[in-house]
Amino acid sequence: EQGILRYRGIPIEELAEKSTFVETAYLIIYGHLPDRNELKNFSDLLTEHQNIHEDMKYHFEGFPSTSHPMAILSAMINASGCFDLTLMKGGCSSQFDSHVAQLISQVRTIAAFSYRKSHGLPIIYPKKAYKYTANFLHMLFSQPYEDYELKPEVVRALDLIFLLHADHEQNCSTATVRMVASSQANLYASCAAGVCALWGPLHGGANQAVVEMLVDIHKSGDDGSKFITAAKDKNSGKKLMGFGHRVYKNYDPRAKIIKKACDEVLGSLDINDPLLEIAKKLEEAALRDSYFVERKLYPNVDFYSGIIMRALGIPVEMFTVIFAIGRMPGWIANYKEIADDTKSRISRPRQVYMGEPLNTYVPMSKRK
Ligand code: SDX
């Protein structure tokens, strides 16, 4: 009800202000803030594993250029696991820390490579000198003849987006990772399944759906009021994307942080995006409208995140991939919890069967 979010007990607002995505990933996976040594070792492991096997490029070539990056991401996580047979075993082996760093580091490289391939651009390899988020932006936007200019405010904004998506209790995709992990499938298989669950527009796909909704409203010249009316009409097939939440019946604390960051990032980059004004108008109208107030529908993490990603030059089809990169530590922490629990059992939901309790086989000649 209060809209409180804490990672291992630390308020999200404090981490957003003082931490980084890599430090927060360590906190979520290992349960405590790393000391200087632990953070350096973790960061070095991420650098050590930043590349993917060179033969992975043949897999990229197999995808049509129109492939959605979430399809590529899920497939390539499993594909990259095939190049290290120690990854194929489930549970937490002695190499778990290395596997964790491999997955967190490589998911970023795979995402960048899939973006480059789908835009007919040459692959840009990671640089040892760059830290996690800067390296991702470098792989996304540099050219063979010219490095992308890494503006600190851009790196910080994307790092904040990753951090704010890092974990969120038993959401649809995390529950999927736990389900797959419970069969003692390996870490890569479990997180590849999480990518598929996250893809849906009711879940992580909402950030892409929000921007597509705002673009449509902008193009139609609507000031948002027509759309709000449609979103309240069940027959319209429209929802106010980025609004509502299974758990938060109040303002998603992440949305508050991202909305503030929107103004800061667009201001510092001197960008005036009409979609931000439309989003603010929609929020204002919805928070005054009894339909939304009675149903306790507030902005969630996806409502403003796409506007920042647009400002950073990230294409809309990559938005949910950014969410997946951010959510990887949460998925891994949940996988680890199951793998570490010697008493954990396979997940097996019960069902209430509503059909005929007993039937008999009817030969084709006797069927209607
Ligand atoms: C994420 O679980 C997590 O933690 C997820 C997440 C994470 O970090 O992992 O926080 C990330 O997925 C955020 C949610 C992103 N999805 C969207 O923004 C899509 C739009 N939102 C809705 O589809 C919906 O609000 C959900 C899916 C988020 C929540 O669905 P619920 O809890 O099942 O809500 P509901 O469908 O029961 O809705 C209750 C009522 C219904 O109307 P009535 O039947 O009471 O008349 O509210 C209406 C719904 O029709 N409603 C909406 C609405 N969301 C709910 N009406 C218009 N627009 C909306 N967005």
Side-chain angles (χ1 to χ4, degrees):
E1 287 301 321
Q2 287 76 37
I4 289 172
L5 174 58
R6 299 180 185 135
Y7 290 162
R8 300 285 191 181
I10 303 178
I12 191 76
E13 295 77 8
E14 272 189 74
L15 289 165
E17 194 194 321
K18 301 169 186 161
S19 187
T20 64
F21 172 62
V22 166
E23 182 182 65
T24 296
Y26 187 99
L27 165 71
I28 288 172
I29 295 167
Y30 296 102
H32 64 273
L33 286 170
D35 64 25
R36 214 175 292 282
N37 242 352
E38 288 166 332
L39 185 58
K40 182 176 179 322
N41 294 341
F42 187 53
S43 181
D44 291 348
L45 265 180
L46 291 172
T47 303
E48 182 189 330
H49 292 296
Q50 61 187 5
N51 249 321
I52 54 179
H53 194 287
E54 193 60 17
D55 289 352
M56 283 280 284
K57 66 175 183 249
Y58 299 117
H59 294 275
F60 281 108
E61 258 123 52
F63 287 100
S65 59
T66 49
S67 308
H68 195 287
M70 286 295 273
I72 300 176
L73 184 64
S74 176
M76 298 299 258
I77 287 174
N78 265 319
S80 65
C82 297
F83 289 92
D84 173 350
L85 293 184
T86 65
L87 283 167
M88 290 297 108
K89 220 168 121 348
C92 278
S93 69
S94 55
Q95 290 136 310
F96 184 74
D97 293 349
S98 160
H99 293 166
V100 164
Q102 223 166 307
L103 182 52
I104 291 181
S105 196
Q106 289 183 345
V107 72
R108 168 198 50 172
T109 307
I110 291 168
F113 284 17
S114 69
Y115 165 71
R116 300 290 293 188
K117 290 303 291 177
S118 63
H119 285 72
L121 296 166
I123 275 181
I124 298 292
Y125 288 92
K127 274 190 170 171
K128 213 169 153 57
Y130 290 159
K131 291 294 176 206
Y132 193 84
T133 303
N135 228 339
F136 180 60
L137 288 162
H138 160 66
M139 289 188 275
L140 271 184
F141 298 131
S142 288
Q143 297 303 346
Y145 47 85
E146 187 183 45
D147 268 8
Y148 168 73
E149 186 203 349
L150 288 163
K151 290 183 182 150
E153 63 271 33
V154 170
V155 178
R156 176 69 196 129
L158 185 55
D159 200 74
L160 175 64
I161 293 276
F162 285 149
L163 186 153
L164 291 173
H165 285 81
D167 188 37
H168 210 245
E169 205 214 46
Q170 292 311 302
N171 57 83
C172 175
S173 51
T174 299
T176 301
V177 170
R178 291 183 74 97
M179 176 69 82
V180 177
S182 76
S183 74
Q184 296 184 0
N186 67 66
L187 175 67
Y188 275 54
S190 303
C191 292
V195 170
C196 297
L198 185 71
W199 191 357
L202 294 189
H203 190 15
N207 55 22
Q208 175 172 348
V210 166
V211 167
E212 288 164 352
M213 169 187 79
L214 295 172
V215 166
D216 287 351
I217 292 172
H218 183 51
K219 273 195 193 137
S220 69
D222 171 19
D223 63 359
S225 46
K226 285 204 198 78
F227 190 86
I228 288 272
T229 309
K232 298 191 292 187
D233 169 7
K234 297 284 186 274
N235 305 319
S236 71
K238 291 187 186 304
K239 281 181 180 265
L240 182 53
M241 299 312 277
F243 253 69
H245 199 275
R246 255 276 189 255
V247 173
Y248 290 129
K249 298 306 169 193
N250 198 325
Y251 217 105
D252 184 329
R254 301 165 297 176
K256 269 188 202 150
I257 297 167
I258 293 178
K259 182 181 177 184
K260 183 166 162 284
C262 263
D263 289 327
E264 288 158 6
V265 172
L266 273 69
S268 74
L269 296 175
D270 200 16
I271 295 174
N272 180 11
D273 186 349
L275 301 193
L276 179 56
E277 290 326 303
I278 295 174
K280 286 182 176 173
K281 277 210 191 102
L282 283 172
E283 177 191 342
E284 226 176 279
L287 297 187
R288 276 202 315 269
D289 187 305
S290 59
Y291 172 94
F292 295 92
V293 174
E294 279 157 19
R295 292 169 177 80
K296 299 187 176 178
L297 302 176
Y298 292 87
N300 59 51
V301 66
D302 295 305
F303 192 62
Y304 286 104
S305 56
I307 294 177
I308 290 196
M309 291 191 263
R310 249 166 77 93
L312 304 184
I314 292 166
V316 66
E317 70 275 9
M318 286 290 286
F319 286 2
T320 312
V321 169
I322 301 292
F323 192 147
I325 295 171
R327 183 54 50 91
M328 210 44 86
W331 290 341
I332 292 169
N334 277 272
Y335 179 91
K336 183 174 187 305
E337 186 174 66
I338 289 183
D340 282 346
D341 176 3
T342 49
K343 294 198 191 64
S344 98
R345 301 178 67 191
I346 190 164
S347 292
R348 177 60 170 84
R350 297 300 303 276
Q351 71 175 31
V352 177
Y353 174 66
M354 306 295 281
E356 283 301 316
L358 183 61
N359 251 322
T360 175
Y361 184 81
V362 179
M364 189 57 85
S365 56
K366 293 230 174 358
R367 291 177 209 167
K368 290 186 205 59

